[in-house]
Each structure stands twice: as structure tokens, then as C-alpha cells.
Amino acid sequence: MRVVVVGGGIGGLALGAGLRRSGYEVAVFDRDTDVAATGGYHITLDQRAQSALGRLVPPEVMRRLLASGSALRLRERDAFWDRRGRLLGYGPDLAGSASIDVDRITLRTLLAEAVGEDLHLGRDASGVGYDEHGMPRVAFADGTSVTADLVVGADGTHSVIARHLAAGPTNRPAGLIGFSGRTQRADLSAAEQQRLGSRSTMGIGPRGAALYVGFLDPVGNAALDAPELRRSVTTGPTYIWGAMFPESARTESLRDLRGTQLQTALLDRFRDRRWTDHTLEVIARADPASVAAFRFNAASTRAADLAPWNAGRITALGDAVHATPPTAGMGAGAAIQDAADLLDRLDTISDGTTTLADAIGHFEARMRQRGSEVLTMAMKTVRLILVTDTPLGAVATAVATPIMAAAARLRR
Ligand SMILES: Cc1cc2nc3c(=O)[nH]c(=O)nc-3n(C[C@H](O)[C@H](O)[C@H](O)COP(=O)(O)OP(=O)(O)OC[C@H]3O[C@@H](n4cnc5c(N)ncnc54)[C@H](O)[C@@H]3O)c2cc1C
């Protein structure tokens, strides 16, 4: 069976690696020309995502990934702050967590290595359909095309393939705009290093402003202590942060800015909302080249709305089907699980126990369920942030946060 995968992001590369490892004929096409030239901060992989990856990639790639990942179990428990940096409470104890955080660039590069020469870069898919023999065919912007027994759209939020199958968009803007950047821990003042600690934190203030600060240390907190295998682009304790605001004409205009200009405009936006200066140090001292803006898109949280098509020789996975805002840190993990599940289903065709349409139908049913679960979790945080931008929510946030901060002080 020849499988063509459109999109060499996290899900497409994971599938390509798994198909190649299992002996299928596979070709993965991505419009990017360099897998390392990809944005994003870090990706969280929980136990299920890691087990799925373990089935898809060779053991040595898995070991390099673990040696490049930062283990959550070695981190302090997460903390929640108000806009003045007052502690509101802590998240659960992470000592038993099997999850790891890994740079998106590191993960994508390692997956690309596992796909090897079956990955074709610089190929922008423009459409999909069937040839005269009823086999699926992908057309590219350069005028070429390829046919296959099965086409899988792993081409992300603005998927050409899923859009064709669903006869329209599969997701829409979630109402939030995100801004991300990287700040070395050592570049912060001693007081902020102390306050933020070796943990991830979330600060929420009135009028829809939120600041997530993730902590990544693939060296000190390596998930697997094997420095010789480490490939991480993050080489020391680093805060990788994501600021969030409700979408509006004003926040939309920030998307056209880059580097220092974007950083300054972002700081002004927080100061307008009366965040105190020390809470903004992590943004002010970021590497300007790392600061970027992106819109959150989300598919429906209802399983029945996802992949609204009949199972056949063209399917899709990951964000193409269940575009998930990064607020739950589960989008990439879900795409990897989709890939492992699809491979398992295809294996049932080779051993003669099922047909292609049945295998794809079972795969899509599981994917709808998984997509709905991760979207429901991610949208909880999106709604919590958006509610602080309503008149009642703004008052409630202003009144409740000092009370929560005082209660947290008493508990300490
Ligand atoms: C730049 C970027 C940064 C991100 N950063 C984070 C993050 O820091 N943390 C987090 O939790 N999640 C992040 N995400 C989201 C997370 O990576 C996704 O939820 C997860 O990767 C879903 O995997 P996927 O394979 O479905 O889609 P993606 O990983 O988005 O991959 C889609 C791929 O399809 C390719 N593509 C799109 N259209 C075409 C086309 N027409 N022809 C050929 N190729 C095409 C794209 O170049 C891309 O490589 C990021 C996504 C992107 C695109």
C-alpha cells in the first residue's frame, strides 16, 4: 500500500515514521523548506503520546527525544498569579508525572530524521481529488501531482485536505490572540528568578489578559540522563512564555509587528491593564527575535462535528481535524496518537481482517472522541480568559484575586 501524507508537522512526520518503520511505501510532503525553521515554544507529551511515539519511531530516536526533553516530575508544582504577581494558588504535585516538555523544533527535527528520504520539503499541496481509476490524487502548487492508495491530510489548521473532505473550514478563530517568546532564566533579576522558580506559571488579570510562563530545562531536568544523545535547541533553564488577549481590532494590529516593536507593544498592552512591572520582566528581557504573534483556532468540542465526512481513501488527522488551541498543551500529543491509531488500523488490512474503508472508519471514530476530549480541555482555559473580558468577569476578577492571594498567603 502506498500512502501519501500531506503535511510534515508533528502528526504527519509521526505517521510517516511509523509507516516507514512498518514497511509501507510512504511519501510525506510539506511546504516548508527547512524543518528546523518552525515557530512555537515547547510541546508537552504525556504518557499516552510517548507510548504512541514509541510505536512509531525507532528506539534510538525515542532515546534522543527523552534525552532532549525536560521532565515535569523534576519541576516544582505550577503556580497561579494575579496581575501584581501575588500568588493565588498551586497546581497539583508533579512528582508522579510521566509527561515531558520538548522544544517543537527538536521534536520536529527528530521525527524528520526518522522519516528520512521519504520526506519531501518545499511541496505546497493545492488540492486533492480522484484520478480516472478512482485513486486519490494530490495536486501541488508547482503543477505536479501524485497518486496513492491512501491520502492523509496532516496539513494543520488551514488544511487543504480536510477542507476538501468537509466542503468547508474545519475550525474557526477561538477568540484569543497569542504572543510567544523565550527568555533565559539567567537574564531575569534575582527576585523574578526566585518568584518564578523552576516551574510553569499562569497569571490572569481583568480584561482578558493572561500570561503563561513555561519552564524548560532539558539539561538540568533531562527526562533521560544521557547528555551524549541530547539534541535540544534549549540549552539551559529557559522560560518560554505565551501572552494571551481577546481578539479585537487593536490586538489584530499587533500581528503585523515583529521583534522589539512587537515586544514593546505587548508590554504596553499589559501596562494598560495595570500589570506591575516585575511581572512583565519575563517579556521585557526576552530575545526580541523569539517574539511572535499567532491566532488561536479551534474546532468544535462535539465529537459528532469532527471529521464530518464518509470514510474513504482520503482522510486527515491532527489539527486538520481537531485544531486545538495550545491552552491544554495537548494538540501535538493528540496528533501523534491519531498517527499511531491509524497505523494500527492499517495493519488490520494487511492481515486481511478488514477493508480499507472499515479501517479508516474505525480510526476516524476514535479520532473524533480524542479530538473532542482535548478540545474540551483547551477551551476551558480559553473561556476562563475570555470571561475576564466581560463587565461582570472583570469585576469578579478584580474582587476575587486579592482574596485568593490573601488566602494563599495564609496557607503558606
Ligand atoms: C508554527 C507552529 C508552532 C506551534 N507551536 C506550538 C507550541 O509551542 N506548543 C503547542 O502545544 N502547540 C504548538 N503548535 C501546535 C501544535 O504543534 C499542533 O497542535 C500539533 O503540531 C498538531 O500537529 P499537526 O501535525 O496536526 O499540525 P502541524 O504540526 O501544525 O503541522 C502541519 C504541517 O502541515 C504543513 N502544511 C500546511 N499546509 C500545507 C500544504 N498546503 N502543503 C504542504 N504542507 C502543508 C505545515 O507546513 C506544517 O508543517 C504549533 C503549531 C505551529 C504550526
Side-chain angles (χ1 to χ4, degrees):
M1 180 188 293
R2 175 173 159 77
V3 184
V4 160
V5 182
V6 178
I10 307 303
L13 289 174
L15 177 64
L19 288 167
R20 183 181 158 105
R21 194 173 172 214
S22 298
Y24 289 85
E25 193 188 338
V26 59
V28 181
F29 295 94
D30 200 283
R31 64 183 172 195
D32 288 350
T33 50
D34 177 3
V35 283
T38 183
Y41 20 87
H42 59 278
I43 298 280
T44 304
L45 298 175
D46 63 14
Q47 178 66 64
R48 284 174 303 180
Q50 289 174 54
S51 318
L53 265 182
R55 295 211 300 285
L56 295 165
V57 302
E60 68 273 16
V61 173
M62 199 63 206
R63 279 175 61 75
R64 268 184 273 156
L65 178 70
L66 291 175
S68 312
S70 186
L72 267 66
R73 66 174 190 279
L74 301 174
R75 237 171 51 188
E76 295 170 65
R77 57 174 64 193
D78 297 354
F80 302 93
W81 315 102
D82 70 1
R83 68 188 159 85
R84 293 186 180 161
R86 290 179 301 197
L87 180 71
L88 302 177
Y90 289 110
D93 188 358
L94 294 172
S97 173
S99 297
I100 62 164
D101 281 332
V102 63
D103 295 305
R104 187 173 193 274
I105 295 170
T106 307
L107 175 61
R108 196 175 179 214
T109 308
L110 286 172
L111 289 174
E113 254 180 69
V115 180
E117 72 272 16
D118 292 327
L119 170 62
H120 306 274
L121 294 172
R123 303 294 302 277
D124 188 359
S126 54
V128 66
Y130 289 92
D131 69 6
E132 61 278 18
H133 308 293
M135 301 307 274
R137 175 164 55 197
V138 176
F140 294 96
D142 60 9
T144 59
S145 64
V146 289
T147 53
D149 297 298
L150 175 69
V151 166
V152 183
D155 46 346
T157 306
H158 304 290
S159 170
V160 168
I161 310 299
R163 192 180 276 254
H164 164 86
L165 288 168
T170 55
N171 55 71
R172 56 185 183 171
L176 285 182
I177 299 228
F179 303 87
S180 60
R182 303 166 66 92
T183 311
Q184 305 279 344
R185 186 171 188 215
D187 289 342
L188 292 185
S189 66
E192 270 306 273
Q193 287 192 32
Q194 166 80 23
R195 184 180 73 92
L196 292 173
S198 63
R199 59 159 69 89
S200 293
T201 68
M202 179 79 158
I204 295 202
R207 295 171 51 209
L211 179 59
Y212 165 77
V213 182
F215 179 75
L216 193 67
D217 183 4
V219 179
N221 287 357
L224 175 70
D225 187 20
E228 70 285 4
L229 299 178
R230 193 181 302 134
R231 298 287 182 274
S232 53
V233 295
T234 303
T235 51
T238 305
Y239 295 114
I240 300 184
W241 48 266
M244 291 159 267
F245 291 97
E247 273 198 72
S248 67
R250 283 192 72 201
T251 49
E252 186 63 26
S253 66
L254 296 185
R255 296 185 73 211
D256 299 330
L257 305 177
R258 298 281 174 278
T260 312
Q261 268 192 319
L262 176 58
Q263 199 170 7
T264 307
L266 192 53
L267 289 166
D268 288 345
R269 198 58 32 103
F270 274 109
R271 288 189 187 115
D272 282 353
R273 286 166 167 79
R274 299 172 54 208
W275 284 54
T276 47
D277 269 348
H278 76 91
T279 63
L280 303 179
E281 217 180 80
V282 73
I283 301 178
R285 300 202 181 173
D287 169 8
S290 71
V291 183
F294 54 95
R295 168 182 274 149
F296 289 3
N297 274 57
S300 168
T301 54
R302 291 184 57 232
D305 295 341
L306 302 175
W309 53 72
N310 293 325
R313 287 182 179 272
I314 305 176
T315 186
L317 58 69
D319 276 2
V321 174
H322 45 77
T324 309
T327 41
M330 300 184 92
I336 291 167
Q337 289 175 71
D338 290 349
D341 202 30
L342 177 54
L343 183 63
D344 286 348
R345 294 293 168 181
L346 293 182
D347 284 347
T348 65
I349 304 174
S350 340
D351 63 28
T353 50
T354 189
T355 62
L356 180 71
D358 279 350
I360 300 297
H362 281 115
F363 153 70
E364 288 177 347
R366 286 271 297 267
M367 174 169 58
R368 287 186 191 100
Q369 207 52 51
R370 179 164 43 243
S372 161
E373 282 163 22
V374 295
L375 269 149
T376 301
M377 290 179 71
M379 288 309 287
K380 265 189 197 154
T381 310
V382 170
R383 292 195 187 104
L384 179 70
I385 295 169
L386 287 176
V387 93
T388 66
D389 196 33
T390 60
L392 192 62
V395 173
T397 314
V399 170
T401 47
I403 298 171
M404 289 166 76
R409 270 199 305 276
L410 285 175
R411 277 199 302 273
R412 269 188 289 169

